[in-house]
Amino acid sequence: MPARPHPPTMRALEHIAHDEHAALRRAVMTTIALSRQPRLLTGWLAVPSSALSLAAGVPRPHRWVRPHGVQAGPLRAPAPRWRAQQHSRHYALRASASAHEEGLGQELCGRPARVAAITDPHLHFWAPSTHAWLRAVLPGGEAHDGPYGRFAPIARPYTPAMHCAHLAPFAPLTKTVYIQANMHATTGSPVAETAYMQGLADATGHPHGIISWAPLDKPEEAGAVLDQHAKFANFRGIRFMLDFHPSRPELCQADSGAYMADGGFLRGLRHLEERGLIFELQLCAVQLKEAAVLAAKLPKLQIVLNNAGFPLKGEFDSWRAGLAKLAANPNVACKIGGLGAYDGGFDLEAARPHVLACFELFGLERCMFSSNLPVDLVDWPHGPPSARWDTYLAISKGAGLTPAQLGAVFSDNAVRIYNI
């Protein structure tokens, strides 16, 4: 039986994957260079030296390196001997995180674009070597038997090439915004995440915007951290997760529900406001009304609500009431994505009233669709990632959006809000 032709688009993705490996070394060296400047980076640099070897195609034992005072020798990778066929084939095969993504190459070549272009304002590029919590969710890891154990199937590298492949059946992906994924817990330094993602962007073109983390609850430290983040061209703002539910611990990302009422946290947010940066607001639906009060205190701060406030099944009315309070603040925009993340993912009919409520309350000019990939690979079981965007388009067309309005919610609004 003759071998199946290799789709040209997948061949192009292999070249991108090659560049992504090269970006590992670039990002590490950028971080090392920063560490040699006083007070820019502290603690352990959590990009393993094996990452440098991977960029060069040469195996090396996994070990950690300390930036301050380290000798240059151990950080030098051997002369590049890129095993193009082996590694690019590996990444092409791993571009799918579930069985329904088989045949992706054919989809890339055969389906017309649904809209002119996508700008995705919410995604995560990661790997277990850089985002250590991913190792904990694997079988045998300390978090595998908890709520985060569901992430075990996606606890592996997720790269720009993979992301382009997942969305290509719907429309061309033109720009992206990386949202922090707790890389600072691995590195001990918030700035390392920005440095790493800037290196990835310089090598591959993605992401165009970087949302990182800073200790906003410690305003005496936050300002200096923000100034160091700002040294990187693609840095746009901060996400400090506030998700807290009084009776559903599996929904909690924060250790307390008191942050929004804390004066110190408010001062931390003012550092963002003063610098013209974005605050990514992630919380539970029960916190929306409190967030509305907080947003009113910071009228010049651009706030972007993540995942439409995580609506839950059976709680539409209370979610909509809280969303209306928040949307009354003109400085708040809404990312529509990850709907039903904790309830098996909303299909077309379940998603429709939630999408339409966002359109109505925020107005189309403050709404933008987002993928929440690779998380959606496990949180939305109704088809491949492109199919979820098909549901967004069906709802939008059903609401009578014009081509210009479709362009706004699928791309232009995100470009404007994130200044990318």
Side-chain angles (χ1 to χ4, degrees), residues 76-93:
R76 292 193 185 119
R81 299 203 312 264
W82 172 249
R83 299 173 182 176
Q85 183 175 3
Q86 174 184 347
H87 287 292
S88 62
R89 177 173 173 76
H90 169 75
Y91 268 80
L93 292 174

Side-chain angles (χ1 to χ4, degrees), residues 341-356:
Y342 296 101
D343 290 314
F346 290 170
D347 61 14
L348 174 62
E349 293 309 314
R352 189 187 308 277
H354 295 86
V355 173
L356 295 180

Side-chain angles (χ1 to χ4, degrees), residues 194-333:
T194 306
Y196 188 93
M197 289 302 152
Q198 186 67 56
L200 187 65
D202 291 344
T204 71
H206 291 270
H208 299 77
I210 300 170
I211 299 295
S212 297
W213 182 89
L216 299 180
D217 58 330
K218 300 175 181 178
E220 67 281 0
E221 300 177 14
V225 172
L226 292 176
D227 289 341
Q228 302 312 322
H229 281 306
K231 293 182 181 293
F232 296 91
N234 293 12
F235 174 67
R236 294 295 182 269
I238 294 296
R239 181 172 76 161
F240 187 105
M241 291 186 285
L242 300 172
D243 322 41
F244 190 83
H245 196 287
S247 60
R248 294 188 59 178
E250 74 276 14
L251 305 185
C252 298
Q253 297 275 8
D255 57 357
S256 166
Y259 285 109
M260 286 189 281
D262 180 70
F265 186 73
L266 179 63
R267 292 195 299 275
L269 289 174
R270 291 201 189 283
H271 284 303
L272 293 176
E273 187 179 44
E274 292 164 359
R275 290 163 173 79
L277 297 171
I278 292 171
F279 177 59
E280 293 281 323
L281 176 64
Q282 180 164 310
L283 38 60
C284 295
V286 296
Q287 299 172 285
L288 285 167
K289 292 182 179 179
E290 185 180 9
V293 175
L294 180 67
K297 297 177 181 178
L298 300 156
K300 295 182 180 179
L301 175 63
Q302 176 65 70
I303 298 173
V304 179
L305 177 64
N306 286 194
N307 301 309
F310 285 119
L312 301 172
K313 285 184 178 178
E315 298 183 11
F316 177 82
D317 290 341
S318 59
W319 166 80
R320 190 187 187 284
L323 197 70
K325 295 283 189 182
L326 182 61
N329 294 284
N331 57 320
V332 182

Side-chain angles (χ1 to χ4, degrees), residues 389-406:
W389 290 76
D390 285 332
T391 69
Y392 296 152
L393 182 60
I395 294 168
S396 300
K397 285 188 172 181
L401 270 64
T402 67
Q405 290 170 330
L406 290 173

Side-chain angles (χ1 to χ4, degrees), residues 22-288:
L24 289 170
R25 179 161 54 185
R26 181 193 295 264
V28 171
M29 299 314 294
T30 299
T31 309
I32 293 297
L34 275 175
S35 72
R36 290 171 178 161
Q37 301 179 40
R39 309 181 67 84
L40 293 196
L41 293 176
T42 58
W44 289 84
L45 172 65
V47 179
S49 58
S50 57
L52 297 175
S53 301
L54 181 60
V58 180
R60 179 181 289 185
H62 182 103
R63 61 189 177 88
W64 303 98
V65 294
R66 189 177 179 84
H68 290 292
V70 72
Q71 298 298 315
L75 294 179
R76 292 193 185 119
R81 299 203 312 264
W82 172 249
R83 299 173 182 176
Q85 183 175 3
Q86 174 184 347
H87 287 292
S88 62
R89 177 173 173 76
H90 169 75
Y91 268 80
L93 292 174
R94 293 293 291 271
S96 166
S98 56
H100 59 60
E101 284 297 301
E102 292 181 4
L104 178 62
Q106 285 72 22
E107 284 193 282
L108 287 173
C109 295
R111 293 180 59 180
R114 304 319 199 242
V115 296
I118 298 172
T119 293
D120 187 356
H122 195 109
L123 61 100
H124 313 287
F125 299 131
W126 63 32
S129 60
T130 55
H131 297 70
W133 66 272
L134 290 171
R135 298 197 294 272
V137 306
L138 291 169
E142 60 185 16
H144 179 68
D145 294 329
Y148 296 106
R150 75 183 197 277
F151 293 138
I154 55 173
R156 57 192 186 186
Y158 191 74
T159 69
M162 297 175 184
H163 194 61
C164 290
H166 279 133
L167 298 187
F170 178 76
L173 178 68
T174 56
K175 294 185 178 182
T176 54
V177 178
Y178 168 84
I179 303 299
Q180 68 85 217
N182 291 345
M183 187 175 172
H184 66 278
T186 305
T187 65
S189 169
V191 184
E193 185 166 27
T194 306
Y196 188 93
M197 289 302 152
Q198 186 67 56
L200 187 65
D202 291 344
T204 71
H206 291 270
H208 299 77
I210 300 170
I211 299 295
S212 297
W213 182 89
L216 299 180
D217 58 330
K218 300 175 181 178
E220 67 281 0
E221 300 177 14
V225 172
L226 292 176
D227 289 341
Q228 302 312 322
H229 281 306
K231 293 182 181 293
F232 296 91
N234 293 12
F235 174 67
R236 294 295 182 269
I238 294 296
R239 181 172 76 161
F240 187 105
M241 291 186 285
L242 300 172
D243 322 41
F244 190 83
H245 196 287
S247 60
R248 294 188 59 178
E250 74 276 14
L251 305 185
C252 298
Q253 297 275 8
D255 57 357
S256 166
Y259 285 109
M260 286 189 281
D262 180 70
F265 186 73
L266 179 63
R267 292 195 299 275
L269 289 174
R270 291 201 189 283
H271 284 303
L272 293 176
E273 187 179 44
E274 292 164 359
R275 290 163 173 79
L277 297 171
I278 292 171
F279 177 59
E280 293 281 323
L281 176 64
Q282 180 164 310
L283 38 60
C284 295
V286 296
Q287 299 172 285
L288 285 167

